[in-house]
Amino acid sequence: MNIPGIRLLNQQLINPQISDVHDLVSWMGMLQAQDYRMMRWAVGIRMRHPSMKAFREAYDAGKIIRTHLFRCTWQIVAAKDVRWMLKLCSDKNKSAINGYMAYRGDNIGENEYEHTNNIIRQILAGHKSMTKETLIRQLEKQGITSNAHKISIYLRRAEQDGIICSGELDNRQNTYALLDERVPPTKELTRDESITLLAQNIFEVTYRQP
């Protein structure tokens, strides 16, 4: 059995079979998207007909979402999957954030996170999309710290709390939008149902062609 060949086929890295951006991301389950510009290439090289225009249209329409998910790292996921995946990994990610802050000798309490989340909601409400730079300026106007590191923690925690996710594609920086305004509500899954879906996806990407 040619395991490397099977992996390359199922990862859509040779002889790609999928033409739609959303379908490709859905098939993969999630794609690493640490670098804001190179994430487009991570999708493009797996497409049957690579198209930056198609990627932008799917991203701007909210069909694919970029947020912190598994391992608390940036990933792209299909909009239909973001809520159950977030629910599955958010507790562990929150714990990782708290551990990181404790390592730095800092601490942010739940009341502080809740206060900041409420301000973020107010700032983003009704906005289709807002750049990170603009959002930070608005937070500073509301008295939120100008410390770049701490603001990044606030934003990451807001993602884990299901408050924010990616907005429209910007050429140079992250954008944010309210998750509830970006992604329609979906049926809430139990933990066991979510784990089953995740296992099925891993099996398909590893062993079965689309």
Side-chain angles (χ1 to χ4, degrees):
M1 180 182 291
N2 182 1
I3 294 178
I6 292 173
R7 287 290 289 157
L8 288 171
L9 280 168
N10 289 353
Q11 287 281 331
Q12 303 300 298
L13 291 172
I14 56 175
N15 193 29
Q17 298 295 305
I18 304 175
S19 300
D20 180 81
V21 172
H22 169 270
D23 291 348
L24 183 278
V25 175
S26 180
W27 164 258
M28 294 301 299
M30 75 288 297
L31 282 165
Q32 193 70 27
Q34 203 69 23
D35 187 282
Y36 189 65
R37 294 184 178 181
M38 291 305 294
M39 68 173 178
R40 309 163 207 193
W41 182 238
V43 173
I45 60 173
R46 292 175 165 86
M47 299 293 300
R48 189 170 186 178
H49 304 291
S51 167
M52 183 60 216
K53 181 175 181 288
F55 180 91
R56 178 178 288 277
E57 287 176 349
Y59 199 93
D60 287 353
K63 293 180 179 179
I64 57 174
I65 299 295
R66 180 177 184 254
T67 191
H68 286 87
L69 286 170
F70 298 93
R71 306 187 315 280
C72 207
T73 61
W74 285 111
Q75 289 159 355
I76 297 177
V77 62
K80 67 181 181 63
D81 296 324
V82 67
R83 292 184 186 277
W84 69 261
M85 286 189 178
L86 187 60
K87 183 178 178 182
L88 191 60
C89 61
S90 63
D91 285 346
K92 187 172 184 179
N93 287 347
K94 290 175 187 178
S95 179
I97 291 170
N98 291 339
Y100 175 70
M101 294 299 286
Y103 173 78
R104 289 178 56 92
D106 203 348
N107 179 59
I108 300 177
E110 288 300 311
N111 288 340
E112 187 174 346
Y113 280 128
E114 184 177 353
H115 172 68
T116 306
N117 282 348
N118 287 334
I119 292 176
I120 290 172
R121 282 193 190 96
Q122 293 169 17
I123 292 171
L124 289 176
H127 288 272
K128 193 173 183 180
S129 181
M130 186 176 291
T131 65
K132 181 179 180 181
E133 185 178 273
T134 301
L135 177 56
I136 288 174
R137 284 201 306 267
Q138 294 301 316
L139 285 169
E140 290 173 349
K141 288 180 180 179
Q142 295 294 325
I144 302 300
T145 177
S146 60
N147 180 284
H149 173 74
K150 201 165 186 178
I151 283 184
S152 71
I153 295 298
Y154 287 141
L155 295 177
R156 189 168 301 191
R157 176 55 189 262
E159 289 176 303
Q160 300 309 310
D161 287 331
I163 308 299
I164 60 174
C165 64
S166 58
E168 295 181 340
L169 189 68
D170 184 85
N171 289 331
R172 63 185 183 87
Q173 63 175 304
N174 301 335
T175 61
Y176 291 98
L178 292 178
L179 180 65
D180 286 344
E181 293 184 357
R182 193 82 170 145
V183 180
T186 54
K187 178 185 175 183
E188 188 168 338
L189 303 180
T190 66
R191 179 174 177 80
D192 285 347
E193 288 173 332
S194 296
I195 291 173
T196 299
L197 268 181
L198 183 64
Q200 288 174 342
N201 180 264
I202 292 172
F203 178 83
E204 288 175 349
V205 172
T206 304
Y207 297 107
R208 195 171 74 192
Q209 279 282 285

